[in-house]
Amino acid sequence: MSSRLVCFNPDCRAEYASTEVLYACTKCGGLLEARIDYDRAAAAGWKQLWRERRMSNAPLDASGVWRYREMLDLFDGFEHVVTLREGNTPLLPGAKAAAYGGLDHVVFKHQGFNPTGSFKDNGMTCGATQAKRLGLKRVACVSTGNTSASMAAYAATSGLDPIIFIPNGNIAFGKLSQALDYGAKTLQVEANFDQILALVRELADRLGIYLLNSVNPFRIEGQKSIVIEMLDQRDWKVPDWVVLPGGNLGNVSAFGKGLRELLDLGLIDKLPRLAVVQAAGSAPFYDYVRQDDKAHFPTVTKPETLATAIKIGDPVSYPKALLEIETSGGVVERANEQEIADAKAVIGACGIGCEPASAATLAGIKKLVAAGTMRADADVVAVLTGNVLKDPDYIYHYHTGVLKGPHGEPLTSTFGNKPTVVPNDADAIAALLG
Ligand code: F0G
């Protein structure tokens, strides 16, 4: 068996074939992770192979996920791959953002350049591929918006039947619109993300629908490619820090696993430190890493933030995330609504832009630098997880000075950029522009 699913619980470690439809260990209920038996001798040639594939027009090579398929060797071959040419996302320097955060330099790995506008595509291409490999028909997820947009697109392109569950009134319009456009059956449930995840897990088992949330280990495998591609783009120079927002904590689990595997294969010589930033109103992992009692997770029953992508109080992947924070010498930070909103405007002013959850990265960097945790001259890559157009209402409200926090409290438009209404009169406009 060259690849398999293994229980993440160190006291269990039960193993399953990668063809079993499972989202948790049947023996202990633990999280599952994929284990690949790598061809270590061949690994020395992979960097060159991956670079050469950038010249190729073959669909698998043109994908910024499947180009690195030696790290995703879970599918008994690649004939079922479902790809929208995901990945291939840029590294963009942001001088104003660096100055704002207190850093000499910062580089953004912008996952918003993906086909559906978020990092979810890196994982969904693998999840959809596994669904096709297993001959399944219906797929489902609960989502704060991006997973559902991504799943809907990958299902549509591969002939799967997508059913999405979203918290009613709590997802950004851009994301909901995408799911409708890609033809997903869309159920708006009157409950929060954590409650709906429990519901969907039950329905997936009962109705035989394949679950594509990040409890699905194939999703996590695909998201490893975000850090692999980032390192390839940096000619394998490992940064000091990789900063990312944290919600359900699948992405930090994927980054950490991918980085550990690269280190183990001798493809990098050290691990970057991982910094996860949560929204202050939905920050159970921030509290968890600080408490001594690691046997109890401090679930937030009413998570609150305008960064709806990360409005999650009971993140399923927290045990994996804890391992990755500890192994990498990482940290967990939190940022409040004002800090996220201002950081987002600064990223926008760099000509880059992102959705609110992504801006938690810069807000977190500012705090980590101020606290002395992150040095001003550190080599920092911040991952922007979603596209600027995902949540236009938020942007318009911020710049016009009417953005209100989760309790209706007014937020300050520190970097507001209000549009001006002018008469249809050249003289008046010329006078205004000076
Ligand atoms: N940033 C964005 C834009 C997201 O959509 C999410 C998660 C995260 C960050 C957090 O990533 O969950 O791996 O820690 N969105 C999920 C969704 C939950 O349903 O689209 P995480």
Side-chain angles (χ1 to χ4, degrees):
M1 196 160 44
S2 63
S3 68
R4 55 209 183 275
L5 301 177
V6 180
C7 176
F8 183 76
N9 176 356
D11 300 326
C12 176
R13 294 281 190 239
E15 297 200 356
Y16 305 90
S18 68
T19 45
E20 287 197 47
V21 178
L22 285 176
Y23 318 106
C25 176
T26 54
K27 298 203 170 67
C28 78
L31 295 167
L32 294 175
E33 67 174 357
R35 174 114 15 115
I36 300 171
D37 283 331
Y38 287 112
D39 181 351
R40 294 174 165 278
W46 289 353
K47 287 183 187 173
Q48 199 188 333
L49 176 67
W50 294 339
R51 192 56 71 87
E52 282 164 9
R53 284 182 184 153
R54 287 204 209 172
M55 302 292 287
S56 159
N57 287 326
L60 261 66
D61 296 343
S63 159
V65 174
W66 299 101
R67 181 178 306 137
Y68 307 101
R69 54 191 173 271
E70 285 72 20
M71 300 290 293
L72 300 171
D73 195 2
L74 287 160
F75 302 94
D76 293 328
F78 299 99
E79 68 267 33
H80 297 293
V81 165
V82 180
T83 175
L84 289 168
R85 314 300 183 267
E86 51 290 318
N88 298 307
T89 63
L91 284 178
L92 303 170
K96 284 181 191 162
Y100 177 78
L103 290 173
D104 298 343
H105 302 282
V106 71
V107 168
F108 292 108
K109 172 75 172 154
H110 204 328
Q111 292 304 110
F113 282 63
N114 259 301
T116 78
S118 86
F119 74 99
K120 304 291 181 179
D121 295 342
N122 288 66
M124 201 54 76
T125 182
C126 279
T129 295
Q130 176 70 356
K132 294 301 281 185
R133 172 198 185 193
L134 298 177
L136 302 168
K137 298 281 176 264
R138 288 203 287 183
V139 290
C141 68
V142 52
S143 179
T144 56
N146 282 322
T147 299
S148 50
S150 183
M151 191 190 82
Y154 281 86
T157 197
S158 62
L160 293 163
D161 188 9
I163 307 161
I164 69 169
F165 295 77
I166 51 177
N168 194 16
N170 268 306
I171 82 167
F173 224 59
K175 306 175 188 181
L176 174 58
S177 312
Q178 283 180 286
L180 302 178
D181 207 42
Y182 302 137
K185 183 180 284 298
T186 302
L187 305 176
Q188 296 180 274
V189 187
E190 294 192 324
N192 70 28
F193 177 93
D194 308 300
Q195 295 162 327
I196 306 172
L197 182 55
L199 179 80
V200 176
R201 285 180 86 150
E202 185 194 323
L203 285 169
D205 287 341
R206 203 197 282 183
L207 303 177
I209 305 170
Y210 192 52
L211 187 62
L212 280 173
N213 274 101
S214 57
V215 285
N216 184 313
F218 294 89
R219 285 263 322 274
I220 301 288
E221 288 303 298
Q223 287 172 212
K224 293 189 309 193
S225 63
I226 299 168
V227 283
I228 303 171
E229 183 181 72
M230 178 269 287
L231 287 161
D232 185 7
Q233 289 166 317
R234 290 171 50 99
D235 298 323
W236 301 95
K237 183 174 179 295
V238 178
D240 297 320
W241 291 92
V242 174
V243 186
L244 73 164
N248 218 12
L249 303 175
N251 214 20
V252 62
S253 307
F255 285 15
K257 183 171 190 282
L259 290 162
R260 283 188 290 110
E261 290 177 355
L262 291 173
L263 184 69
D264 192 42
L265 288 164
L267 296 175
I268 53 174
D269 53 10
K270 64 166 188 171
L271 294 176
R273 299 176 73 181
L274 296 172
V276 170
V277 188
Q278 297 207 285
S282 310
F285 191 54
Y286 173 90
D287 293 334
Y288 182 60
V289 296
R290 281 165 179 74
Q291 75 187 24
D292 293 331
D293 174 14
K294 291 289 185 276
H296 297 100
F297 189 80
T299 301
V300 174
T301 47
K302 281 208 175 117
E304 279 171 341
T305 172
L306 300 183
T308 48
I310 50 173
K311 190 173 167 181
I312 294 176
D314 192 10
V316 286
S317 292
Y318 78 82
K320 291 184 176 178
L322 180 66
L323 172 83
E324 304 309 346
I325 292 297
E326 288 178 346
T327 310
S328 72
V331 297
V332 183
E333 186 49 271
R334 64 180 174 187
N336 67 30
E337 298 300 311
Q338 186 67 53
E339 290 164 340
I340 293 173
D342 289 341
K344 188 180 135 39
V346 172
I347 296 168
C350 295
I352 294 175
C354 63
E355 69 164 282
S358 309
T361 51
L362 180 60
I365 287 171
K366 189 174 170 61
K367 298 177 85 166
L368 290 168
V369 173
T373 309
M374 193 177 274
R375 289 169 50 133
D377 63 356
D379 181 0
V380 181
V381 175
V383 179
L384 300 179
T385 43
N387 190 284
V388 66
L389 293 175
K390 290 279 187 175
D391 196 350
D393 290 354
Y394 180 104
I395 305 176
Y396 185 74
H397 290 152
Y398 177 87
H399 285 289
T400 54
V402 298
L403 189 65
K404 290 195 171 52
H407 298 287
E409 69 279 16
L411 296 176
T412 306
S413 295
T414 317
F415 306 106
N417 179 25
K418 221 175 175 166
T420 313
V421 179
V422 292
N424 182 12
D425 176 345
D427 289 341
I429 296 172
L432 185 87
L433 295 178

